[in-house]
Amino acid sequence: MSADQTDRIPDEVIKRLQDASRVAVLTGAGVSAESGIPTFRGEDGIWKNYRAEELATPGAFQRDPDLVWEWYHWRRDIVSAASPNAAHRALVRIEEMAPAFVLITQNVDGLHLEAGSREVLEIHGNLRRARCSGCDDTVHLTDEDGLIECGKCGFPMRPDVIWFGEELAPDILERSFAAAANADFFLVAGTSSVVQPASSLAWIAGQNNGFVLEVNLDPTPLTGHADAALPGKAGDVLPRLVEEVWK
Ligand code: APR
């Protein structure tokens, strides 16, 4: 296909989003990649250089809380220096235009909220917050915060993110499943679609007659099953989608 054809947004995708009354979106690290935040499984992905078991599990935190905090402070420094990109801003625009909208994100960088998205479900948490390992009280972290103890119960505070082997917050999970089941347009952007339960949301949407659109740089296990798949950078494709739908 010629360049303009590969860049063109298919008419059916445009019409589906124009006619959609309940839009739901699932985003992953690929949406923040153009803000300079490394993804997890790409060429220079985080899991290529760090072992998740040593840094992103409850056991790692019990064994060496200082190391885990050090790693999250490093990640928070990267996130603090990052700004929302055109993909984040395009999703804000879709929320403004859609009659009903929910943004479910696996990202813990807080960039959707910073961009102005309002109905956001941070299913893996947010590394700009700390949570008490005893009473679950949460605090917003400022940049100079070190390893802190809970002001309420004295237990160690941990990053407010979901680690491997941990359950997602039941209410957020329930709202995510409901949003996927009710969506008539489900957009999946910038995720390898390999981590559960997030990666099951697109299947739930499809099984409930939702139109599933994937926007991703590389093929994923979802690509062949989505109703439409647009290869490319989210910061390029999503603004073009918004432009075509709401000219
Ligand atoms: N635009 C669109 N997609 C991109 C871009 C981009 N600019 N850059 C990378 N991608 C795609 C990659 O092709 C890849 O498929 O984004 C996807 C990122 O996949 P992962 O690195 O696996 O990140 P993600 O899917 O968010 O991981 C899910 O795994 O480690 C856990 O908790 C962590 O939330 C994370 C979860």
Side-chain angles (χ1 to χ4, degrees), residues 5 30 97 126 153 189 199 219:
Q5 277 178 316
M97 302 305 289
N126 185 317
C153 74
S199 54

Side-chain angles (χ1 to χ4, degrees), residues 13-63:
V13 171
I14 295 168
K15 179 123 180 51
R16 288 279 186 160
L17 186 48
Q18 276 169 343
D19 297 347
S21 43
R22 294 175 310 284
V23 175
V25 181
L26 171 69
T27 62
V31 163
S32 294
E34 291 157 82
S35 296
I37 299 177
T39 62
F40 292 95
R41 295 171 183 81
E43 270 317 295
D44 54 357
I46 283 186
W47 299 140
K48 277 263 182 343
N49 306 312
Y50 296 91
R51 289 171 50 77
E53 314 70 74
E54 287 166 7
L55 295 161
T57 63
F61 186 70
Q62 257 163 358
R63 277 192 302 277

Side-chain angles (χ1 to χ4, degrees), residues 14-125:
I14 295 168
K15 179 123 180 51
R16 288 279 186 160
L17 186 48
Q18 276 169 343
D19 297 347
S21 43
R22 294 175 310 284
V23 175
V25 181
L26 171 69
T27 62
V31 163
S32 294
E34 291 157 82
S35 296
I37 299 177
T39 62
F40 292 95
R41 295 171 183 81
E43 270 317 295
D44 54 357
I46 283 186
W47 299 140
K48 277 263 182 343
N49 306 312
Y50 296 91
R51 289 171 50 77
E53 314 70 74
E54 287 166 7
L55 295 161
T57 63
F61 186 70
Q62 257 163 358
R63 277 192 302 277
D64 192 343
D66 290 341
L67 173 67
V68 172
W69 265 118
E70 191 184 319
W71 189 60
Y72 277 92
H73 286 323
W74 170 74
R75 288 185 63 192
R76 202 168 78 242
D77 289 348
I78 293 173
V79 163
S80 306
S83 305
N85 66 58
H88 296 102
R89 290 190 291 274
L91 292 169
V92 173
R93 181 87 175 112
I94 296 176
E95 181 169 14
E96 287 166 350
M97 302 305 289
F101 180 92
V102 181
L103 170 55
I104 304 153
T105 187
Q106 301 172 90
N107 300 340
V108 296
D109 55 35
L111 288 184
H112 286 302
L113 293 170
E114 193 175 325
S117 291
R118 293 192 314 279
E119 198 60 38
V120 178
L121 297 175
E122 294 179 313
I123 58 172
H124 290 171

Side-chain angles (χ1 to χ4, degrees), residues 146-165:
L147 178 59
I148 44 182
E149 285 186 354
C150 176
K152 288 193 173 167
C153 74
F155 268 56
M157 296 298 276
R158 52 166 283 177
D160 188 19
V161 296
I162 302 293
W163 281 327
F164 288 104

